[in-house]
Structures are given as C-alpha cells and as structure tokens.
Amino acid sequence: MSSSTIHRINLENPLTDTSSTSQTELPFTFQDVKAAIPSACFSPNVWRSLAYFFADTAIIVGLYATAAYLDAWWFYPIFWFATGTMFWAFFVVGHDCGHGSFSRSKWLNNLIGHLTHIPILVPYHGWRISHRTHHQNTGNIDTDESWYPVTKSQYQEMDWIGKFIRFDALLFAYPLYLFKRSPARPTASHFVPNNDLFRASETNDILTSSILWTAMIVFLGWLGFTYGFLFLFKFYIVPYLIFVIWLDLVTYLHHTEADIPWYRGKDWYFLKGALSTIDRDYGIFNNIHHNIGTHVAHHIFIGIPHYHLKTATDAIKPVLGKYYRVSNEPIWKSFFTSQKSCIFVPDTGGEVYYVPSSEVIK
C-alpha cells in the first residue's frame, strides 16, 4: 500500500488494518486499551442522546426568543456568542450521529445528524464521510484529512493567499474547506460525489445532504430578502461565524502541538496514529460542548458516546502511560503558540515533528 493511498479501515475493529509491518512498536495493543474500558461505555443510550439534542435545541430557541423580544443592541453580543457556541454544541451532537455513537439506529442517526448539521450549513453526509477518512488516517501525513501539517517543500511552494488562509485566517477556513478541501490534497467538494473523498455507493447520501443544504441557503436568502440584510446579519451570520471559529479552533487544537508526532508509510498504523492527538481543557465550555476536548479516547474508539468519554479516558490512562497527551494550558495560549511554531514538518522521515519556529521564514 503506497503512502498516498487513503486507508479504508474498519473502525469497529481497527485490528483488521494490515497497512503496517511494525504493529509491535507500542508497548500495548488495541485490545489491551479496549479491555481497560468498562463495557457500558461502548453502548449509547438513545434517550440520553436525545436528551442532549432536545436540551441544545431548547437553549437555542430560548436565545432566539430572548433576542427577538429584547431587540437591544446591548444584548446582541451576548446572543451572538452564546448562540454560536450552542451551534457548536449542536454540531457535536450531530458528530456523534456521524460516528454511530448517538444510537444504534442508522435512520435516527441520519435524521438527527441532518437536524443538527443543516441549520448550521454543514452537509451532514459529506462531512460524516470525510471525517471518517480523517479517523481512518489520523496522524498519517499523506492521507489524513484534518489539520495535517504541510511539508517544508509544500510550504515553500504555497502562494501568499494559501499561507494567509492556512496560517493567519485559519479560524475561518472551514467553509472554504467544504468546497476546496485542504492544502496538498486533490480538490474535492463535500457537495458533489465522484471524487476521492466518497465511494460510488455513497452518491445518494451526498446528494441528499447537498439538496437539504441548498434548501437552507435558499431559506436564508429568503429571510434576507424579506426582512433585510441587517436582520440576517443579527440573527444568523454572526452566530454562524462564531460557530465556524469554534469548529476550526477545536479541531485545529485536537491535532496541533509541537510534540505530536506524524508518520509516513510503514511507520504509521491505526493505533499509533490515533494517539497523535491531545486532550484539552476548555474550562466552563467542557460540558456545554459535550466534552469534545476529551479527544484521545474518541480517536481510538469512535463508537463511544460523548457522555462516556471521560470515564473511558480515566480507564485508559494507566495503559497508555506516556503515550497519552493532555494539556491544561489556557486554550488561547495553546492556539497562538501552535499557530506561530507549528508551520511545517521535514520532507523526509518516518516519524516527524514540526520544526522549531526559529527555522521558519514566512
């Protein structure tokens, strides 16, 4: 298997991955880690999952009702931040749907996935599938799908627009990613089938989500035409942008840190790659956005619902030892540190790290 071939791994049983010739590098196996976790953690409770969905919905509706009732400019900044944050929480519920950890019912996962994703302009199936590729290839420089590093030569070949989007405007990059994909990957849209992100059997799923996404765009256009741009700006555009910032910030910080290794070729395999992520502490936001910062256990076992991730993490820490990464540093400090120091990795090497910032000349 070449290093540029996307790995298609059965995430329910990653041991079926045969892409590695060095499965014994870690001092523990996938089964060792799984055995440490209480079996109840792997079973979603559909009523508990639905409770999070309805609670998030109620909070969002309440915020809109309050903003419409007060219609006061002093309240709008509060409304914007709170609603954008709840859009992100909504996204995390749909994220569980995409992994099948919301429930064991495919139709219910798809229904709730669309109800949580389409209102915030995320094409559910397109995102679900590209995100699956990310999980199947985490930590692989050549085939990962989310916030993988560019190499030194790729960095030197990027024009100023590419560098600006990737390194300066990265908190607003998500909408562009939906249409263009990430740097150093073949261009592929999340809205159309027939590209290397999707299989032929997934065409109807992609088209379904794209049609619903388009309907949402039409609805927003109607709102703007009927009530004016200021109405749309106040009640949708700003909260949406806050959501985009949350999405880019959290996903970037999941996989960007100076001491996180990245792998090539035979030096990569699923478990080792899955450990190339880091848990973060978002303080008061941990519960609001459903502990999405508890990310290491999630990458190893996507079938664990978000409300079991803390229990699972506590269980696997003794097994993982030094291979478990966590940061309690303030989030914005971590972001600005990584933004300045995590620019590119060497062109060669089976296990590589971001080069020191002193070696980077923008």
Side-chain angles (χ1 to χ4, degrees), residues 147 150-170 173 183 339 343-344 360-362:
W147 292 115
V150 296
T151 64
K152 181 177 181 180
S153 59
Q154 290 168 342
Y155 175 81
Q156 292 172 334
E157 293 171 358
M158 294 173 69
D159 58 23
W160 72 269
I161 296 178
K163 289 181 180 178
F164 175 77
I165 294 173
R166 178 63 175 80
F167 302 107
D168 297 304
L170 67 166
Q339 184 202 22
I343 306 300
F344 59 70
V360 177
I361 300 177
K362 282 196 175 184

Side-chain angles (χ1 to χ4, degrees), residues 191-338:
F191 301 97
V192 296
N194 303 321
N195 61 59
D196 68 349
L197 277 178
F198 313 123
R199 301 163 179 160
S201 60
E202 295 163 338
T203 296
N204 288 339
D205 284 345
I206 302 305
L207 294 178
T208 297
S209 292
S210 296
I211 290 169
L212 293 172
W213 184 91
T214 302
M216 183 65 191
I217 289 290
V218 171
F219 173 68
L220 292 172
W222 175 82
L223 283 178
F225 180 79
T226 304
Y227 298 101
F229 176 78
L230 183 59
F231 176 91
L232 189 64
F233 179 84
K234 290 190 301 183
F235 286 99
Y236 190 83
I237 293 177
V238 179
Y240 171 76
L241 291 176
I242 298 296
F243 154 67
V244 168
I245 291 173
W246 268 118
L247 191 158
D248 280 327
L249 174 69
V250 174
T251 55
Y252 174 80
L253 288 177
H254 282 165
H255 304 285
T256 310
E257 185 81 359
D259 69 345
I260 289 181
W262 290 83
Y263 305 100
R264 290 186 174 97
K266 65 181 180 62
D267 287 281
W268 177 92
Y269 58 88
F270 174 80
L271 182 56
K272 193 160 67 168
L275 292 172
S276 288
T277 185
I278 184 171
D279 282 1
R280 303 277 188 184
D281 184 2
Y282 290 86
I284 63 171
F285 297 102
N286 285 331
N287 290 327
I288 295 173
H289 65 202
H290 309 312
N291 292 306
I292 192 64
T294 309
H295 208 63
V296 175
H298 168 66
H299 256 278
I300 305 173
F301 305 103
I302 64 168
I304 297 180
H306 72 264
Y307 42 81
H308 289 322
L309 283 175
K310 292 177 71 175
T311 299
T313 298
D314 289 340
I316 65 176
K317 283 180 183 178
V319 179
L320 299 183
K322 67 178 182 179
Y323 295 93
Y324 169 72
R325 291 180 177 81
V326 61
S327 173
N328 295 311
E329 187 178 54
I331 291 302
W332 286 107
K333 181 179 180 181
S334 292
F335 170 74
F336 287 117
T337 298
S338 293

Side-chain angles (χ1 to χ4, degrees), residues 66-87:
T66 303
Y69 175 77
L70 293 176
D71 193 23
W73 278 105
W74 66 265
F75 181 72
Y76 281 116
I78 301 172
F79 165 74
W80 291 335
F81 181 77
T83 305
T85 300
M86 290 310 301
F87 280 0

Side-chain angles (χ1 to χ4, degrees), residues 28-199:
F28 47 80
T29 67
F30 178 83
Q31 290 294 1
D32 292 335
V33 182
K34 185 175 183 179
I37 301 175
S39 59
C41 290
F42 295 95
S43 300
N45 182 316
V46 65
W47 298 112
R48 187 172 181 181
S49 297
L50 284 169
Y52 283 104
F53 166 71
F54 286 118
D56 288 353
T57 302
I59 293 171
I60 292 171
V61 170
L63 287 168
Y64 269 98
T66 303
Y69 175 77
L70 293 176
D71 193 23
W73 278 105
W74 66 265
F75 181 72
Y76 281 116
I78 301 172
F79 165 74
W80 291 335
F81 181 77
T83 305
T85 300
M86 290 310 301
F87 280 0
W88 169 238
F90 225 35
F91 174 90
V92 176
V93 171
H95 167 263
D96 268 15
C97 293
H99 284 306
S101 58
F102 183 90
S103 78
R104 293 298 182 230
S105 170
K106 184 177 180 180
W107 74 264
L108 182 60
N109 289 335
N110 288 343
L111 173 64
I112 301 300
H114 279 103
L115 289 176
T116 53
H117 277 48
I118 296 301
I120 52 177
L121 295 180
V122 178
Y124 171 68
H125 282 306
W127 175 266
R128 171 183 67 81
I129 295 167
S130 72
H131 190 62
R132 176 192 66 196
T133 301
H134 161 58
H135 272 268
Q136 292 173 327
N137 297 268
T138 302
N140 189 318
I141 295 175
D142 300 306
T143 57
D144 200 347
E145 186 64 27
S146 178
W147 292 115
Y148 51 83
V150 296
T151 64
K152 181 177 181 180
S153 59
Q154 290 168 342
Y155 175 81
Q156 292 172 334
E157 293 171 358
M158 294 173 69
D159 58 23
W160 72 269
I161 296 178
K163 289 181 180 178
F164 175 77
I165 294 173
R166 178 63 175 80
F167 302 107
D168 297 304
L170 67 166
L171 293 185
F172 297 94
Y174 158 75
L176 181 62
Y177 166 71
L178 289 179
F179 287 93
K180 296 284 290 182
R181 209 176 178 187
S182 298
R185 297 287 185 268
T187 298
S189 170
H190 283 71
F191 301 97
V192 296
N194 303 321
N195 61 59
D196 68 349
L197 277 178
F198 313 123
R199 301 163 179 160

